[in-house]
Amino acid sequence: GRRRIQDVASRLRLGSHFVDSAHRLFTVAVERNFVQGRRTTHVVAACLYIACRQEKSQHMLIDFSDALQVNVYTLGTCFLKFRRLLGLKLEIIDPALYVYRFAAHLDLDEKANAVALTALRLVARMKRDWIVAGRRPAGICAAALLIAARAHGFTRKNQDVTKILRVCGLTVSTRVKEFEQTPSARMTLEQFGTMEVESEADPPVFTRNRFREARAKAIQENNHTLLESGALDDPRAGKRGKKWREVKPASDKDKEFDELYESLEQEMRQDADEASASAPAEGTAGEGEEKQGDIEDDDGGGKMSGETSQALQVRDASPATTTSYP
């Protein structure tokens, strides 16, 4: 086990203390039977990555994926299960750890140190403005380096940063737009390096939800002027911020459904009108039948009373019969 750990550590240029920490973790993995059913290389990478996280090294999990030519999600799954097995509580990675490492790959010449320092201040400012919370550190570091390089006069595009840090270009653009809405984005480079902004910006998700609530309220109140003014467009979304106001053209299926709903609604209205029109006539006929029934009941009662009286007269007129017993 130690030999394989040293082999992987040598590829990533990790020191001996990383090897010792990873070997202790690997021994626990063998004792807990965590190695069974898994490749030893994956478990070794998970142990070394945990050691790097504990020592706050600049190595990322994707570095182990490149060194071992293994899918990064496979290593991530192994790492998470092993951490859950041991019950380890690792600190969240600080994006500032990767600033100097990746600033050296941007071809900044003698200004690399100045750009890195500005990027570190940007990361610290993003923390205070709630941009770092819940986001991947690589995306924060990429956005900070991109803004710092442009502030120092370098023409760098999103692709230049995404190739180095291996993050999505949309992620970097989103982080940059979120920083543009903070008070620090309106400062010059000299002001940003010397002045401190005491106020904090609201979290991006909080602001986005407030826009949605304002739109829902305007729609409920039928405030067409506010809806069409563009005041409820999210500036962080850029060109996509006004798409919610655009009317989508109806497709053929939508038109068919509209016609079907209209025909069903007309049929229901006709049935309701016919039912309301026939209800008074039926009620009048029912009342007449009830009255006729009452009259027949009265006649029948009179007949019964006459027959009963005749029967009583016949019984009174007939002689009484007696029965004798021997």
Side-chain angles (χ1 to χ4, degrees), residues 120-195:
L120 289 175
R121 291 184 63 86
L122 286 169
V123 171
R125 187 64 238 181
M126 288 180 179
K127 289 181 181 178
R128 295 189 61 183
D129 292 332
W130 299 92
I131 299 177
V132 178
R135 270 62 185 277
R136 290 180 58 188
I140 300 295
C141 180
L145 284 173
L146 181 62
I147 296 172
R150 290 176 177 177
H152 283 274
F154 293 96
T155 57
R156 293 291 182 270
K157 299 181 180 179
N158 291 8
Q159 295 80 0
D160 299 331
V161 179
T162 54
K163 287 190 298 184
I164 299 173
L165 283 96
R166 298 186 181 182
V167 292
C168 180
L170 182 60
T171 302
V172 179
S173 301
T174 304
R175 300 295 165 265
V176 172
K177 290 177 182 177
E178 290 174 353
F179 182 76
E180 287 177 355
Q181 304 304 318
T182 61
S184 302
R186 302 178 183 90
M187 302 170 62
T188 62
L189 181 60
E190 296 179 357
Q191 293 175 347
F192 184 75
T194 55
M195 298 174 58

Side-chain angles (χ1 to χ4, degrees), residues 24-35 85:
R24 287 192 294 268
L25 293 171
F26 187 80
T27 303
V28 176
V30 174
E31 293 176 355
R32 298 285 187 90
N33 204 21
F34 185 76
V35 183
L85 176 66

Side-chain angles (χ1 to χ4, degrees), residues 16 60 103 113 116 121 134 138 163 171 178 224 230 253 263 268 286:
S16 59
M60 296 189 298
N113 190 26
R121 291 184 63 86
K163 287 190 298 184
T171 302
E178 290 174 353
H224 298 285
K253 287 187 177 181
S263 61
M268 293 175 66

Side-chain angles (χ1 to χ4, degrees), residues 25-322:
L25 293 171
F26 187 80
T27 303
V28 176
V30 174
E31 293 176 355
R32 298 285 187 90
N33 204 21
F34 185 76
V35 183
Q36 186 176 4
R38 296 181 175 86
R39 292 189 176 184
T40 308
T41 309
H42 299 175
V43 181
V44 167
C47 295
L48 278 171
Y49 182 65
I50 292 175
C52 292
R53 289 283 296 271
Q54 290 175 343
E55 297 292 335
K56 295 183 179 180
S57 173
Q58 299 179 356
H59 295 82
M60 296 189 298
L61 190 62
I62 197 169
D63 298 329
F64 292 90
S65 175
D66 292 339
L68 301 174
Q69 294 299 310
V70 180
N71 190 353
V72 66
Y73 293 104
T74 304
L75 295 181
T77 303
C78 183
F79 159 70
L80 292 175
K81 290 182 178 179
F82 188 48
R83 189 193 66 173
R84 193 179 302 116
L85 176 66
L86 300 181
L88 295 175
K89 293 183 180 180
L90 301 175
E91 296 183 1
I92 299 175
I93 302 175
D94 189 359
L97 292 174
Y98 308 123
V99 170
Y100 280 101
R101 172 188 170 184
F102 294 108
H105 295 82
L106 288 176
D107 299 330
L108 301 176
D109 300 330
E110 66 276 0
K111 287 189 177 181
N113 190 26
V115 172
L117 290 174
T118 305
L120 289 175
R121 291 184 63 86
L122 286 169
V123 171
R125 187 64 238 181
M126 288 180 179
K127 289 181 181 178
R128 295 189 61 183
D129 292 332
W130 299 92
I131 299 177
V132 178
R135 270 62 185 277
R136 290 180 58 188
I140 300 295
C141 180
L145 284 173
L146 181 62
I147 296 172
R150 290 176 177 177
H152 283 274
F154 293 96
T155 57
R156 293 291 182 270
K157 299 181 180 179
N158 291 8
Q159 295 80 0
D160 299 331
V161 179
T162 54
K163 287 190 298 184
I164 299 173
L165 283 96
R166 298 186 181 182
V167 292
C168 180
L170 182 60
T171 302
V172 179
S173 301
T174 304
R175 300 295 165 265
V176 172
K177 290 177 182 177
E178 290 174 353
F179 182 76
E180 287 177 355
Q181 304 304 318
T182 61
S184 302
R186 302 178 183 90
M187 302 170 62
T188 62
L189 181 60
E190 296 179 357
Q191 293 175 347
F192 184 75
T194 55
M195 298 174 58
E196 286 289 341
V197 181
E198 297 180 358
S199 61
E200 296 181 359
D202 294 327
V205 178
F206 177 83
T207 307
R208 192 181 305 119
N209 290 336
R210 296 294 80 78
F211 275 108
R212 292 177 180 175
E213 291 176 0
R215 294 171 191 169
K217 185 177 179 180
I219 293 172
Q220 187 177 5
E221 296 176 353
N222 292 327
N223 193 347
H224 298 285
T225 305
L226 181 60
L227 292 171
E228 296 175 359
S229 63
L232 300 180
D233 296 346
D234 191 356
R236 291 178 174 84
K239 296 180 180 179
R240 297 182 293 109
K242 61 180 180 180
K243 279 191 174 182
W244 67 276
R245 292 190 286 113
E246 297 178 357
V247 180
K248 296 182 179 179
S251 60
D252 296 337
K253 287 187 177 181
D254 294 338
K255 294 179 181 178
E256 292 178 0
F257 280 119
D258 292 340
E259 294 176 357
L260 178 62
Y261 293 149
E262 289 179 359
S263 61
L264 290 174
E265 187 177 358
Q266 291 178 358
E267 291 178 1
M268 293 175 66
R269 287 180 179 176
Q270 292 177 359
D271 295 341
D273 295 340
E274 292 176 358
S276 61
S278 61
E282 292 179 356
T284 306
E287 292 177 358
E289 291 177 357
E290 289 179 358
K291 291 180 180 179
Q292 185 177 0
D294 294 339
I295 295 172
E296 290 178 355
D297 290 342
D298 293 340
D299 295 342
K303 292 178 180 179
M304 289 297 294
S305 59
E307 291 175 357
T308 305
S309 62
Q310 292 178 2
L312 291 174
Q313 292 176 3
V314 172
R315 187 188 65 181
D316 295 339
S318 62
T321 57
T322 58

